[in-house]
Structure formats: structure tokens, C-alpha cells
Amino acid sequence: MVLSVLAVLSMGSVHAETTEQALTQRITAKIAKAMDSRYPHPHELEVKMRFSKALKHVAPCPIEPRISVNKQISLGTVKWFVRCPTLGWKLSATSTSSLTIQVATAGRAMKKGYRLQPEDIRFGKVTLKKAESVFFDATHLVGSKLRRTVRAGDVLTAKRFYLDYDVEKGLPVNLIYHSSTFSLETDGVALEDGLVGDTIAIRNAQSGKTLKGVIVERNLVRVF
């Protein structure tokens, strides 16, 4: 992964600038980790940061400030919160990130209802400015039916297709648990659609607990 970081400096003091640089590095590392997990293929990540002007006026935190976010870390704009528990101050920061990666695109214009053939798919670098479910393997797309018309060069995202999901939201699935000492299989219900390799939410039919797991084959999910 190639990483580019652009910080917008709005502070006058050396302390504020130094603190901003350190916070930028930490927040960027969190974004990079999340994107490496979501897009496990070579990519270039660019992150722009903007901090509250309050950072210029707060005293240096004697310990490493705590960083939190109210929603899932994603591409696009995300608001962060930085807190110094020992001094009691709290301020905000905003990240704007984009990711350049090679994905499947439309090799030509195609109409709604058309089923993709191998020759219809091209791979090229695109820049994603928001989280998208994209494809890295043409075999996952061949035979898929278009929900809408696409133009040549359009990114082939999941929302463009009537996908034949391996697990469908609301339908029963088998859940398997593995550890070093035991293996257990039980019934569950999928809370999300997904293909083999996707991480989805499921509900244990016996306990009612919501869990996370990875789809290993059709209607079979390995619980974390």
C-alpha cells in the first residue's frame, strides 16, 4: 500500500503543529488498517486531515491522547474525536480519504438485464472516494445480471447487479465454531447478504446473539 498524507495546518504554535502531526499519523494509521482489511489488494491511500482550531489553545497532554470515532472507519469524510483524559480537554478532527486501486470495470456499454461475459470485463485503476463493494476477480462477475445500464469504463460495483448471493439476508444458515479444543455447528440466520469470503453479521438461532463470521461456502458461515 502506498500512503499519502496531507495535513491542513491552521495552528500557530510549534506545540500545536507537532501535536497535529502526531495525531495525523495515528488517525491515518487507523484508516490504513481498516482499508487494508476491506481492500486486501495493492492500493494507494490518500488522507487529508483538518483539526479544530481549539488544538492551538489546549495544554500539551501528558499522556497519549485518546482517539475515537462514532461510526465505522470508511473512505470519504469521517469525524474523529481527540480527548486528553488527564486534562479534560476534547476536540474534533475531520479526515477525508480516497483510495486508488485496480478493479473490474465495464469493457463496453451494456443494457439493464444483460448477463456479463468474460469479454465484457476490463481491469483498470480507479479512485474510490466512498466505500464501494468492488470486484477483483472476473469469475465472480461472469453470468451476473445487470440491474441498470452501464457505460464503458464504469466501475462494476455490487449494487449494479442482481447477485446470486451465497448467503441471503433473513434466510437460515449453518454456523460453525472452531477453536483449539472443540468444533461446534449450529443454526443461525443471516442478517446481511454476502458471497464466499465476505464478513457478515448473523444471529445465533438458539441464543439470539448477533455475531460476525466469514462465509466459507453456500449457506455456511464460520463464526469469529
Side-chain angles (χ1 to χ4, degrees):
M1 179 192 72
V2 177
L3 183 63
S4 173
V5 180
L6 302 178
V8 180
L9 298 180
S10 57
M11 320 306 170
S13 69
V14 174
H15 156 62
E17 183 173 334
T18 302
T19 301
E20 182 172 338
Q21 290 172 350
L23 292 173
T24 294
Q25 291 175 351
R26 290 179 60 198
I27 293 173
T28 298
K30 290 179 180 291
I31 297 171
K33 182 178 180 181
M35 294 306 103
D36 286 346
S37 176
R38 184 178 177 91
Y39 302 100
H41 296 267
H43 58 258
E44 300 171 13
L45 177 65
E46 181 177 292
V47 180
K48 298 179 181 179
M49 292 298 308
R50 183 178 296 275
F51 290 86
S52 166
K53 292 182 179 180
L55 185 59
K56 178 179 178 181
H57 305 289
V58 297
C61 191
I63 63 173
E64 188 172 69
R66 295 180 182 175
I67 297 174
S68 61
V69 63
N70 285 342
K71 65 177 184 177
Q72 183 179 14
I73 299 174
S74 182
L75 295 175
T77 301
V78 176
K79 188 172 184 178
W80 300 79
F81 298 94
V82 181
R83 184 168 66 91
C84 179
T86 55
L87 297 182
W89 56 256
K90 181 179 181 180
L91 53 85
S92 63
T94 302
S95 66
T96 304
S97 56
S98 61
L99 182 141
T100 301
I101 191 168
Q102 182 162 293
V103 300
T105 66
R108 63 185 182 87
M110 293 170 280
K111 292 184 178 181
K112 175 182 177 180
Y114 177 77
R115 290 189 180 275
L116 263 67
Q117 302 302 312
E119 59 270 21
D120 299 321
I121 304 166
R122 298 286 183 273
F123 285 87
K125 277 192 172 184
V126 301
T127 297
L128 304 178
K129 295 185 178 181
K130 62 179 181 178
E132 297 273 13
S133 294
V134 293
F135 295 89
F136 306 100
D137 187 339
T139 61
H140 292 161
L141 285 169
V142 173
S144 296
K145 186 177 180 180
L146 285 168
R147 296 177 59 133
R148 61 195 70 181
T149 297
V150 298
R151 298 168 298 180
D154 281 351
V155 178
L156 297 175
T157 59
K159 65 184 180 182
R160 295 185 184 273
F161 297 95
Y162 296 103
L163 291 179
D164 182 18
Y165 290 110
D166 293 306
V167 166
E168 294 187 38
K169 181 179 178 180
L171 295 185
V173 292
N174 294 321
L175 307 181
I176 54 173
Y177 298 79
H178 279 306
S179 74
S180 58
T181 57
F182 77 96
S183 179
L184 174 67
E185 184 168 337
T186 188
D187 296 327
V189 177
L191 301 180
E192 299 176 85
D193 297 321
L195 300 169
V196 168
D198 288 344
T199 297
I200 64 167
I202 61 271
R203 184 173 64 248
N204 185 306
Q206 294 183 343
S207 68
K209 289 184 177 180
T210 298
L211 308 164
K212 285 285 188 179
V214 62
I215 302 171
V216 292
E217 61 182 65
R218 193 168 187 84
N219 293 326
L220 183 63
V221 178
R222 185 176 69 246
V223 178
F224 295 147

PDB file of all heavy atoms in Angstrom, residues 4 33 38 51 53 68 70 78 93 98 102-104 117 122 132 135 140-141 159 169 175 180 186 194 198 208 222:
ATOM      1  N   SER A   4      -0.417   8.481   1.153  1.00  0.00           N
ATOM      2  CA  SER A   4      -0.154   9.909   1.036  1.00  0.00           C
ATOM      3  C   SER A   4      -0.961  10.626   2.097  1.00  0.00           C
ATOM      4  O   SER A   4      -2.160  10.379   2.237  1.00  0.00           O
ATOM      5  CB  SER A   4      -0.559  10.414  -0.353  1.00  0.00           C
ATOM      6  OG  SER A   4      -0.463  11.814  -0.436  1.00  0.00           O
ATOM      7  N   LYS A  33      -5.297   0.762   8.296  1.00  0.00           N
ATOM      8  CA  LYS A  33      -5.571  -0.593   8.769  1.00  0.00           C
ATOM      9  C   LYS A  33      -6.955  -1.059   8.322  1.00  0.00           C
ATOM     10  O   LYS A  33      -7.139  -2.199   7.865  1.00  0.00           O
ATOM     11  CB  LYS A  33      -5.468  -0.649  10.300  1.00  0.00           C
ATOM     12  CG  LYS A  33      -5.686  -2.037  10.880  1.00  0.00           C
ATOM     13  CD  LYS A  33      -5.531  -2.033  12.394  1.00  0.00           C
ATOM     14  CE  LYS A  33      -5.762  -3.430  12.977  1.00  0.00           C
ATOM     15  NZ  LYS A  33      -5.637  -3.426  14.466  1.00  0.00           N
ATOM     16  N   ARG A  38     -10.426  -4.114   4.272  1.00  0.00           N
ATOM     17  CA  ARG A  38     -11.551  -4.084   3.326  1.00  0.00           C
ATOM     18  C   ARG A  38     -11.090  -4.309   1.886  1.00  0.00           C
ATOM     19  O   ARG A  38     -11.799  -4.940   1.085  1.00  0.00           O
ATOM     20  CB  ARG A  38     -12.288  -2.752   3.437  1.00  0.00           C
ATOM     21  CG  ARG A  38     -13.527  -2.684   2.557  1.00  0.00           C
ATOM     22  CD  ARG A  38     -14.263  -1.370   2.730  1.00  0.00           C
ATOM     23  NE  ARG A  38     -15.407  -1.285   1.842  1.00  0.00           N
ATOM     24  CZ  ARG A  38     -16.633  -1.667   2.145  1.00  0.00           C
ATOM     25  NH1 ARG A  38     -16.887  -2.135   3.346  1.00  0.00           N
ATOM     26  NH2 ARG A  38     -17.617  -1.550   1.274  1.00  0.00           N
ATOM     27  N   PHE A  51      -7.984  19.809  11.593  1.00  0.00           N
ATOM     28  CA  PHE A  51      -8.193  19.775  13.035  1.00  0.00           C
ATOM     29  C   PHE A  51      -8.896  21.028  13.532  1.00  0.00           C
ATOM     30  O   PHE A  51      -8.784  22.098  12.936  1.00  0.00           O
ATOM     31  CB  PHE A  51      -6.850  19.635  13.764  1.00  0.00           C
ATOM     32  CG  PHE A  51      -6.220  18.288  13.594  1.00  0.00           C
ATOM     33  CD1 PHE A  51      -5.424  18.020  12.493  1.00  0.00           C
ATOM     34  CD2 PHE A  51      -6.443  17.284  14.513  1.00  0.00           C
ATOM     35  CE1 PHE A  51      -4.847  16.765  12.319  1.00  0.00           C
ATOM     36  CE2 PHE A  51      -5.883  16.033  14.353  1.00  0.00           C
ATOM     37  CZ  PHE A  51      -5.076  15.768  13.250  1.00  0.00           C
ATOM     38  N   LYS A  53      -9.564  24.332  15.575  1.00  0.00           N
ATOM     39  CA  LYS A  53      -8.656  25.400  15.993  1.00  0.00           C
ATOM     40  C   LYS A  53      -8.390  25.375  17.491  1.00  0.00           C
ATOM     41  O   LYS A  53      -7.446  25.989  17.979  1.00  0.00           O
ATOM     42  CB  LYS A  53      -9.223  26.758  15.578  1.00  0.00           C
ATOM     43  CG  LYS A  53      -9.250  26.962  14.069  1.00  0.00           C
ATOM     44  CD  LYS A  53      -9.781  28.350  13.701  1.00  0.00           C
ATOM     45  CE  LYS A  53      -9.785  28.551  12.189  1.00  0.00           C
ATOM     46  NZ  LYS A  53     -10.297  29.899  11.810  1.00  0.00           N
ATOM     47  N   SER A  68     -11.123   8.568  19.068  1.00  0.00           N
ATOM     48  CA  SER A  68     -12.306   7.742  18.850  1.00  0.00           C
ATOM     49  C   SER A  68     -13.083   8.253  17.649  1.00  0.00           C
ATOM     50  O   SER A  68     -12.868   9.364  17.160  1.00  0.00           O
ATOM     51  CB  SER A  68     -13.205   7.740  20.097  1.00  0.00           C
ATOM     52  OG  SER A  68     -13.652   9.055  20.380  1.00  0.00           O
ATOM     53  N   ASN A  70     -17.293   7.877  15.875  1.00  0.00           N
ATOM     54  CA  ASN A  70     -18.651   7.442  16.198  1.00  0.00           C
ATOM     55  C   ASN A  70     -19.248   6.458  15.198  1.00  0.00           C
ATOM     56  O   ASN A  70     -20.320   5.917  15.427  1.00  0.00           O
ATOM     57  CB  ASN A  70     -19.580   8.657  16.307  1.00  0.00           C
ATOM     58  CG  ASN A  70     -19.361   9.418  17.605  1.00  0.00           C
ATOM     59  OD1 ASN A  70     -18.777   8.899  18.552  1.00  0.00           O
ATOM     60  ND2 ASN A  70     -19.812  10.654  17.639  1.00  0.00           N
ATOM     61  N   VAL A  78     -14.886  11.502   7.511  1.00  0.00           N
ATOM     62  CA  VAL A  78     -15.163  10.896   8.812  1.00  0.00           C
ATOM     63  C   VAL A  78     -14.768  11.885   9.907  1.00  0.00           C
ATOM     64  O   VAL A  78     -13.692  12.489   9.846  1.00  0.00           O
ATOM     65  CB  VAL A  78     -14.384   9.571   8.999  1.00  0.00           C
ATOM     66  CG1 VAL A  78     -14.614   9.016  10.404  1.00  0.00           C
ATOM     67  CG2 VAL A  78     -14.799   8.550   7.949  1.00  0.00           C
ATOM     68  N   ALA A  93     -11.627  16.395  14.851  1.00  0.00           N
ATOM     69  CA  ALA A  93     -10.808  16.406  13.641  1.00  0.00           C
ATOM     70  C   ALA A  93     -11.619  15.741  12.538  1.00  0.00           C
ATOM     71  O   ALA A  93     -12.517  14.944  12.802  1.00  0.00           O
ATOM     72  CB  ALA A  93      -9.500  15.668  13.867  1.00  0.00           C
ATOM     73  N   SER A  98      -9.352   8.906   0.180  1.00  0.00           N
ATOM     74  CA  SER A  98      -9.696   8.259  -1.084  1.00  0.00           C
ATOM     75  C   SER A  98      -8.681   7.157  -1.341  1.00  0.00           C
ATOM     76  O   SER A  98      -7.579   7.163  -0.773  1.00  0.00           O
ATOM     77  CB  SER A  98      -9.700   9.265  -2.233  1.00  0.00           C
ATOM     78  OG  SER A  98      -8.421   9.847  -2.399  1.00  0.00           O
ATOM     79  N   GLN A 102      -6.833  -1.183  -8.501  1.00  0.00           N
ATOM     80  CA  GLN A 102      -7.230  -1.813  -9.759  1.00  0.00           C
ATOM     81  C   GLN A 102      -8.412  -2.748  -9.521  1.00  0.00           C
ATOM     82  O   GLN A 102      -8.324  -3.675  -8.712  1.00  0.00           O
ATOM     83  CB  GLN A 102      -6.057  -2.597 -10.365  1.00  0.00           C
ATOM     84  CG  GLN A 102      -6.406  -3.234 -11.713  1.00  0.00           C
ATOM     85  CD  GLN A 102      -5.190  -3.623 -12.516  1.00  0.00           C
ATOM     86  OE1 GLN A 102      -4.438  -2.768 -12.964  1.00  0.00           O
ATOM     87  NE2 GLN A 102      -4.988  -4.915 -12.694  1.00  0.00           N
ATOM     88  N   VAL A 103      -9.508  -2.498 -10.229  1.00  0.00           N
ATOM     89  CA  VAL A 103     -10.740  -3.265 -10.038  1.00  0.00           C
ATOM     90  C   VAL A 103     -11.377  -3.580 -11.389  1.00  0.00           C
ATOM     91  O   VAL A 103     -10.950  -3.083 -12.431  1.00  0.00           O
ATOM     92  CB  VAL A 103     -11.744  -2.504  -9.152  1.00  0.00           C
ATOM     93  CG1 VAL A 103     -11.162  -2.224  -7.784  1.00  0.00           C
ATOM     94  CG2 VAL A 103     -12.180  -1.206  -9.829  1.00  0.00           C
ATOM     95  N   ALA A 104     -12.442  -4.371 -11.345  1.00  0.00           N
ATOM     96  CA  ALA A 104     -13.179  -4.711 -12.559  1.00  0.00           C
ATOM     97  C   ALA A 104     -14.024  -3.522 -13.016  1.00  0.00           C
ATOM     98  O   ALA A 104     -14.719  -2.897 -12.217  1.00  0.00           O
ATOM     99  CB  ALA A 104     -14.071  -5.922 -12.308  1.00  0.00           C
ATOM    100  N   GLN A 117     -20.346 -11.443 -19.794  1.00  0.00           N
ATOM    101  CA  GLN A 117     -19.476 -12.470 -20.337  1.00  0.00           C
ATOM    102  C   GLN A 117     -18.028 -12.060 -20.051  1.00  0.00           C
ATOM    103  O   GLN A 117     -17.742 -10.883 -19.793  1.00  0.00           O
ATOM    104  CB  GLN A 117     -19.705 -12.637 -21.842  1.00  0.00           C
ATOM    105  CG  GLN A 117     -21.143 -12.981 -22.211  1.00  0.00           C
ATOM    106  CD  GLN A 117     -21.623 -14.262 -21.543  1.00  0.00           C
ATOM    107  OE1 GLN A 117     -20.929 -15.285 -21.566  1.00  0.00           O
ATOM    108  NE2 GLN A 117     -22.798 -14.206 -20.928  1.00  0.00           N
ATOM    109  N   ARG A 122     -13.095  -5.479 -17.989  1.00  0.00           N
ATOM    110  CA  ARG A 122     -11.732  -4.952 -18.087  1.00  0.00           C
ATOM    111  C   ARG A 122     -11.274  -4.566 -16.683  1.00  0.00           C
ATOM    112  O   ARG A 122     -12.092  -4.184 -15.848  1.00  0.00           O
ATOM    113  CB  ARG A 122     -11.676  -3.728 -18.990  1.00  0.00           C
ATOM    114  CG  ARG A 122     -12.084  -3.983 -20.434  1.00  0.00           C
ATOM    115  CD  ARG A 122     -11.025  -4.743 -21.193  1.00  0.00           C
ATOM    116  NE  ARG A 122     -11.405  -4.912 -22.585  1.00  0.00           N
ATOM    117  CZ  ARG A 122     -12.137  -5.913 -23.050  1.00  0.00           C
ATOM    118  NH1 ARG A 122     -12.615  -6.832 -22.215  1.00  0.00           N
ATOM    119  NH2 ARG A 122     -12.433  -6.003 -24.331  1.00  0.00           N
ATOM    120  N   GLU A 132     -17.083   1.221  -1.533  1.00  0.00           N
ATOM    121  CA  GLU A 132     -17.827   0.514  -2.561  1.00  0.00           C
ATOM    122  C   GLU A 132     -17.479  -0.968  -2.498  1.00  0.00           C
ATOM    123  O   GLU A 132     -16.334  -1.333  -2.213  1.00  0.00           O
ATOM    124  CB  GLU A 132     -17.471   1.046  -3.954  1.00  0.00           C
ATOM    125  CG  GLU A 132     -17.822   2.502  -4.201  1.00  0.00           C
ATOM    126  CD  GLU A 132     -19.239   2.688  -4.694  1.00  0.00           C
ATOM    127  OE1 GLU A 132     -20.022   1.738  -4.618  1.00  0.00           O
ATOM    128  OE2 GLU A 132     -19.551   3.795  -5.162  1.00  0.00           O
ATOM    129  N   PHE A 135     -15.015  -5.562  -7.344  1.00  0.00           N
ATOM    130  CA  PHE A 135     -14.618  -6.922  -7.680  1.00  0.00           C
ATOM    131  C   PHE A 135     -13.186  -6.950  -8.199  1.00  0.00           C
ATOM    132  O   PHE A 135     -12.765  -6.081  -8.958  1.00  0.00           O
ATOM    133  CB  PHE A 135     -15.567  -7.501  -8.726  1.00  0.00           C
ATOM    134  CG  PHE A 135     -16.973  -7.657  -8.231  1.00  0.00           C
ATOM    135  CD1 PHE A 135     -17.889  -6.627  -8.351  1.00  0.00           C
ATOM    136  CD2 PHE A 135     -17.382  -8.839  -7.631  1.00  0.00           C
ATOM    137  CE1 PHE A 135     -19.183  -6.758  -7.885  1.00  0.00           C
ATOM    138  CE2 PHE A 135     -18.682  -8.988  -7.149  1.00  0.00           C
ATOM    139  CZ  PHE A 135     -19.577  -7.945  -7.280  1.00  0.00           C
ATOM    140  N   HIS A 140     -16.144 -13.890 -10.490  1.00  0.00           N
ATOM    141  CA  HIS A 140     -17.236 -13.531  -9.589  1.00  0.00           C
ATOM    142  C   HIS A 140     -18.338 -12.739 -10.306  1.00  0.00           C
ATOM    143  O   HIS A 140     -19.416 -12.528  -9.740  1.00  0.00           O
ATOM    144  CB  HIS A 140     -16.718 -12.711  -8.417  1.00  0.00           C
ATOM    145  CG  HIS A 140     -15.843 -13.484  -7.491  1.00  0.00           C
ATOM    146  ND1 HIS A 140     -14.975 -12.878  -6.602  1.00  0.00           N
ATOM    147  CD2 HIS A 140     -15.671 -14.822  -7.338  1.00  0.00           C
ATOM    148  CE1 HIS A 140     -14.323 -13.810  -5.923  1.00  0.00           C
ATOM    149  NE2 HIS A 140     -14.734 -14.987  -6.356  1.00  0.00           N
ATOM    150  N   LEU A 141     -18.047 -12.308 -11.544  1.00  0.00           N
ATOM    151  CA  LEU A 141     -18.988 -11.459 -12.274  1.00  0.00           C
ATOM    152  C   LEU A 141     -19.622 -12.135 -13.481  1.00  0.00           C
ATOM    153  O   LEU A 141     -20.737 -11.784 -13.873  1.00  0.00           O
ATOM    154  CB  LEU A 141     -18.268 -10.187 -12.750  1.00  0.00           C
ATOM    155  CG  LEU A 141     -17.974  -9.141 -11.668  1.00  0.00           C
ATOM    156  CD1 LEU A 141     -17.025  -8.084 -12.209  1.00  0.00           C
ATOM    157  CD2 LEU A 141     -19.254  -8.494 -11.187  1.00  0.00           C
ATOM    158  N   LYS A 159     -23.742  -3.134  -6.302  1.00  0.00           N
ATOM    159  CA  LYS A 159     -25.096  -2.580  -6.412  1.00  0.00           C
ATOM    160  C   LYS A 159     -25.597  -2.521  -7.854  1.00  0.00           C
ATOM    161  O   LYS A 159     -26.782  -2.285  -8.085  1.00  0.00           O
ATOM    162  CB  LYS A 159     -25.152  -1.190  -5.785  1.00  0.00           C
ATOM    163  CG  LYS A 159     -24.319  -0.143  -6.493  1.00  0.00           C
ATOM    164  CD  LYS A 159     -24.365   1.177  -5.733  1.00  0.00           C
ATOM    165  CE  LYS A 159     -23.542   2.255  -6.428  1.00  0.00           C
ATOM    166  NZ  LYS A 159     -23.550   3.525  -5.666  1.00  0.00           N
ATOM    167  N   LYS A 169     -29.807 -12.433   3.161  1.00  0.00           N
ATOM    168  CA  LYS A 169     -30.348 -11.811   4.372  1.00  0.00           C
ATOM    169  C   LYS A 169     -31.712 -12.392   4.725  1.00  0.00           C
ATOM    170  O   LYS A 169     -32.593 -12.525   3.874  1.00  0.00           O
ATOM    171  CB  LYS A 169     -30.469 -10.301   4.162  1.00  0.00           C
ATOM    172  CG  LYS A 169     -30.996  -9.537   5.362  1.00  0.00           C
ATOM    173  CD  LYS A 169     -31.052  -8.039   5.062  1.00  0.00           C
ATOM    174  CE  LYS A 169     -31.616  -7.254   6.242  1.00  0.00           C
ATOM    175  NZ  LYS A 169     -31.669  -5.800   5.952  1.00  0.00           N
ATOM    176  N   LEU A 175     -23.960 -22.325  11.140  1.00  0.00           N
ATOM    177  CA  LEU A 175     -22.841 -21.638  11.784  1.00  0.00           C
ATOM    178  C   LEU A 175     -21.868 -22.668  12.323  1.00  0.00           C
ATOM    179  O   LEU A 175     -22.279 -23.654  12.938  1.00  0.00           O
ATOM    180  CB  LEU A 175     -23.341 -20.769  12.948  1.00  0.00           C
ATOM    181  CG  LEU A 175     -24.460 -19.766  12.642  1.00  0.00           C
ATOM    182  CD1 LEU A 175     -24.809 -18.983  13.896  1.00  0.00           C
ATOM    183  CD2 LEU A 175     -24.067 -18.833  11.506  1.00  0.00           C
ATOM    184  N   SER A 180      -9.129 -24.410  19.391  1.00  0.00           N
ATOM    185  CA  SER A 180      -8.085 -25.435  19.528  1.00  0.00           C
ATOM    186  C   SER A 180      -8.590 -26.676  20.253  1.00  0.00           C
ATOM    187  O   SER A 180      -7.993 -27.740  20.183  1.00  0.00           O
ATOM    188  CB  SER A 180      -6.890 -24.853  20.295  1.00  0.00           C
ATOM    189  OG  SER A 180      -7.303 -24.377  21.567  1.00  0.00           O
ATOM    190  N   THR A 186     -24.117 -25.119  14.512  1.00  0.00           N
ATOM    191  CA  THR A 186     -25.470 -24.812  14.966  1.00  0.00           C
ATOM    192  C   THR A 186     -26.199 -24.011  13.898  1.00  0.00           C
ATOM    193  O   THR A 186     -25.628 -23.693  12.840  1.00  0.00           O
ATOM    194  CB  THR A 186     -25.432 -24.035  16.304  1.00  0.00           C
ATOM    195  OG1 THR A 186     -26.760 -23.913  16.806  1.00  0.00           O
ATOM    196  CG2 THR A 186     -24.826 -22.650  16.115  1.00  0.00           C
ATOM    197  N   GLY A 194     -24.304 -11.895   1.261  1.00  0.00           N
ATOM    198  CA  GLY A 194     -22.860 -11.991   1.098  1.00  0.00           C
ATOM    199  C   GLY A 194     -22.439 -13.112   0.164  1.00  0.00           C
ATOM    200  O   GLY A 194     -23.195 -14.039  -0.122  1.00  0.00           O
ATOM    201  N   ASP A 198     -16.843 -13.037   2.209  1.00  0.00           N
ATOM    202  CA  ASP A 198     -17.345 -11.817   2.853  1.00  0.00           C
ATOM    203  C   ASP A 198     -17.544 -12.039   4.353  1.00  0.00           C
ATOM    204  O   ASP A 198     -17.900 -13.136   4.801  1.00  0.00           O
ATOM    205  CB  ASP A 198     -18.688 -11.404   2.256  1.00  0.00           C
ATOM    206  CG  ASP A 198     -18.573 -10.852   0.846  1.00  0.00           C
ATOM    207  OD1 ASP A 198     -17.448 -10.509   0.446  1.00  0.00           O
ATOM    208  OD2 ASP A 198     -19.602 -10.768   0.163  1.00  0.00           O
ATOM    209  N   GLY A 208     -29.923 -16.179  20.239  1.00  0.00           N
ATOM    210  CA  GLY A 208     -30.412 -14.871  19.815  1.00  0.00           C
ATOM    211  C   GLY A 208     -29.321 -13.824  19.696  1.00  0.00           C
ATOM    212  O   GLY A 208     -29.594 -12.679  19.339  1.00  0.00           O
ATOM    213  N   ARG A 222     -18.428 -19.345   9.115  1.00  0.00           N
ATOM    214  CA  ARG A 222     -17.532 -19.632  10.234  1.00  0.00           C
ATOM    215  C   ARG A 222     -17.505 -18.416  11.159  1.00  0.00           C
ATOM    216  O   ARG A 222     -17.127 -17.321  10.771  1.00  0.00           O
ATOM    217  CB  ARG A 222     -16.113 -19.949   9.756  1.00  0.00           C
ATOM    218  CG  ARG A 222     -15.178 -20.365  10.894  1.00  0.00           C
ATOM    219  CD  ARG A 222     -13.793 -20.767  10.409  1.00  0.00           C
ATOM    220  NE  ARG A 222     -13.053 -19.621   9.906  1.00  0.00           N
ATOM    221  CZ  ARG A 222     -12.699 -19.459   8.644  1.00  0.00           C
ATOM    222  NH1 ARG A 222     -13.032 -20.351   7.724  1.00  0.00           N
ATOM    223  NH2 ARG A 222     -12.018 -18.398   8.262  1.00  0.00           N
TER     224      ARG A 222
END
